[in-house]
Amino acid sequence: MSATAISSIRIHRQWQPFRDGTYRCSGGRSAEGFDSTIVEITSRDGQRGYGEMAPLGSFYDPAFAEGARAAMRELAPQLLGADASGVEALNRRMDLLLKGHPYAKSAIDMALWDLAGKHSGLSLASMSGGAEGDSLALYRSIAQQAPDAMAARAQKYIAEGYRRLQVKVGLDVNEDIARLEAVRAAIPSDTVLFCDANASWGTSETRQFLMATGNLDYTLEQPCASYEENLAIRRACERPLVLDETIDGADVLLRAIADGLVDGITIKLARVGGLTKAKLVRDIAIARNLKITIEDTGGAEIDTAAYCGLMLSTPEILRQHTVDFHNWVTVSNAKADFRIADGEMTLPSGPGLGVEVDIEALGEPIFQSAL
Ligand SMILES: [Mg+2]
């Protein structure tokens, strides 16, 4: 058995309360924090790689925290002894052994990339194509409130240095129009604004919103839930259109490109199944010069380092923005040298994810499987 064979897989759970209190969505959906699952993969030579997956509640994507852990318990024993350096081969093996559940595979795949970096001495950005520039633009999301409260929140973020804001819409469309108008009027004209309906509107509401806001500068993100509804809107929408929830893998992106549906995409690691599949989706998007955001559904330092590493190897000219999830929560799971200034974040250097996992903070593993 080679030195890079997988000798053990451990799973930890970390509750990560939100710094800014309860996260609320329409329909009474809410979350108090991220229920994160962290995977530690050890190879025979004693190197360790870490991955993390945290869904946003159970309502955002077809994913939930206990489901991830159950799927990992199913998969982990079947991966022991396999060569950890064969990351793509192991992805195919996971897909063979367990249909679906990409969110659970995401943390395992992330740990394999971290381990490959530890073995090669290369950072994730180097392994995934090579870093371009040294920092990433961050955006701040403005949660749904009354229009004046959202405008005040936008001004606060601008004062903190952010240059890119995402206005959450998707409730009553007339209120949503007022929300966008209030925020746009309250911030400098060069602020990049995204309007994210999180798949909450029908085509009727979306058309109404587009007509009423035709004179404002913003990018529209995921207005409707289904592919077909968004395609119908595309034909009536002159402004840039970005899809997020719809983009769950390479298949749908190829179809969206063929249909001329998207100008940009948001890739979430857990939704597509990890860094390996996110890189494939990212590379297809690069081939068609689509604007690209890479992020995830939640987590702390381990997860942030992963999606940011892949974002940093995405051509600068195509990069939209990403998030600093480790700053959303009151706990930490790794020492990581993220630095934020003027709405830009630089990443930790070092092999793999470049973070030093705080195993004490994770506590005892809730599950382990070893040779
Ligand atoms: Mg979105």
Side-chain angles (χ1 to χ4, degrees):
M1 199 176 294
S2 76
T4 54
I6 295 172
S7 60
S8 85
I9 298 179
R10 288 180 175 168
I11 297 167
H12 297 262
R13 180 180 183 182
Q14 186 183 42
W15 174 245
Q16 301 168 340
F18 290 140
R19 200 177 290 276
D20 290 343
T22 308
Y23 184 98
R24 293 183 201 285
C25 292
S26 59
R29 298 171 295 172
S30 67
E32 306 290 329
F34 292 131
D35 184 353
S36 178
T37 305
I38 290 129
V39 176
E40 178 197 83
I41 298 182
T42 306
S43 54
R44 262 189 82 227
D45 59 6
Q47 288 282 13
R48 287 171 187 185
Y50 293 89
E52 177 175 19
M53 197 295 295
L56 176 55
S58 300
F59 52 78
Y60 175 68
D61 260 342
F64 65 111
E66 280 302 331
R69 292 188 274 267
M72 289 174 191
R73 282 190 173 92
E74 181 78 16
L75 275 172
Q78 304 183 73
L79 301 177
L80 295 177
D83 183 4
S85 67
V87 180
E88 295 200 20
L90 275 168
N91 267 267
R92 289 191 292 274
R93 178 125 190 92
M94 284 196 284
D95 287 342
L96 190 73
L97 295 169
L98 178 72
K99 290 279 177 255
H101 303 280
Y103 56 102
K105 295 165 184 170
S106 181
I108 295 172
D109 171 75
M110 193 186 293
L112 293 171
W113 277 84
D114 189 35
L115 193 53
K118 304 264 177 64
H119 281 130
S120 66
L122 298 173
S123 70
L124 172 59
S126 295
M127 291 189 290
S128 60
E132 232 183 75
D134 54 15
S135 68
L136 300 172
L138 296 175
Y139 75 92
R140 280 304 293 251
S141 205
I142 306 171
Q144 282 175 16
Q145 288 177 283
D148 56 346
M150 290 178 76
R153 184 57 68 102
Q155 287 176 322
K156 175 176 175 283
Y157 292 147
I158 294 294
E160 290 172 8
Y162 291 95
R163 297 289 171 265
R164 304 178 70 95
L165 300 176
Q166 184 194 61
V167 181
K168 289 292 189 191
V169 290
L171 288 174
D172 177 273
V173 70
N174 289 312
E175 287 174 17
D176 287 332
I177 293 163
R179 287 185 173 96
L180 177 61
E181 287 173 343
V183 170
R184 185 76 271 182
I187 55 176
S189 60
D190 62 350
T191 308
V192 176
L193 213 51
F194 277 53
C195 226
D196 188 358
N198 287 110
S200 294
W201 284 330
T203 54
S204 172
E205 288 86 353
T206 311
R207 287 178 204 279
Q208 198 183 336
F209 187 86
L210 285 167
M211 278 193 293
T213 58
N215 59 333
L216 301 177
D217 180 17
Y218 69 95
T219 293
L220 183 63
E221 181 166 333
Q222 192 77 42
C224 307
S226 75
Y227 184 95
E228 288 73 16
E229 287 167 293
N230 286 305
L231 185 57
I233 286 303
R234 163 81 287 173
R235 293 176 180 138
C237 176
E238 299 270 308
R239 65 181 61 253
L241 180 65
V242 165
L243 291 185
D244 179 349
E245 282 87 340
T246 295
I247 305 300
D248 63 4
D251 279 349
V252 76
L253 177 57
L254 289 167
R255 187 177 162 210
I257 287 171
D259 286 339
L261 173 55
V262 284
D263 302 299
I265 57 168
T266 293
I267 305 169
K268 288 195 162 75
L269 300 185
R271 181 185 298 133
V272 300
L275 286 163
T276 302
K277 287 170 179 152
K279 182 179 179 301
L280 174 63
V281 173
R282 190 264 323 248
D283 291 344
I284 293 168
I286 290 172
R288 284 297 166 94
N289 293 308
L290 299 180
K291 301 290 187 208
I292 297 163
T293 288
I294 304 174
E295 52 167 298
D296 211 347
T297 53
E301 285 83 359
I302 298 170
D303 198 78
T304 303
Y307 61 74
C308 286
L310 187 62
M311 186 75 172
L312 195 64
S313 69
T314 302
E316 256 183 310
I317 196 165
L318 298 179
R319 295 205 296 250
Q320 294 181 133
H321 45 221
T322 191
V323 284
D324 50 340
F325 270 142
H326 63 293
N327 284 328
W328 283 36
V329 297
T330 59
V331 296
S332 167
N333 56 29
K335 284 201 201 90
D337 189 21
F338 294 108
R339 293 181 192 197
I340 299 178
D342 297 326
E344 295 265 329
M345 183 163 74
T346 56
L347 309 187
S349 56
L353 303 181
V355 303
E356 193 185 322
V357 171
D358 181 359
I359 208 74
E360 298 285 310
L362 303 184
E364 290 298 309
I366 57 169
F367 170 79
Q368 62 179 323
S369 188
L371 286 177

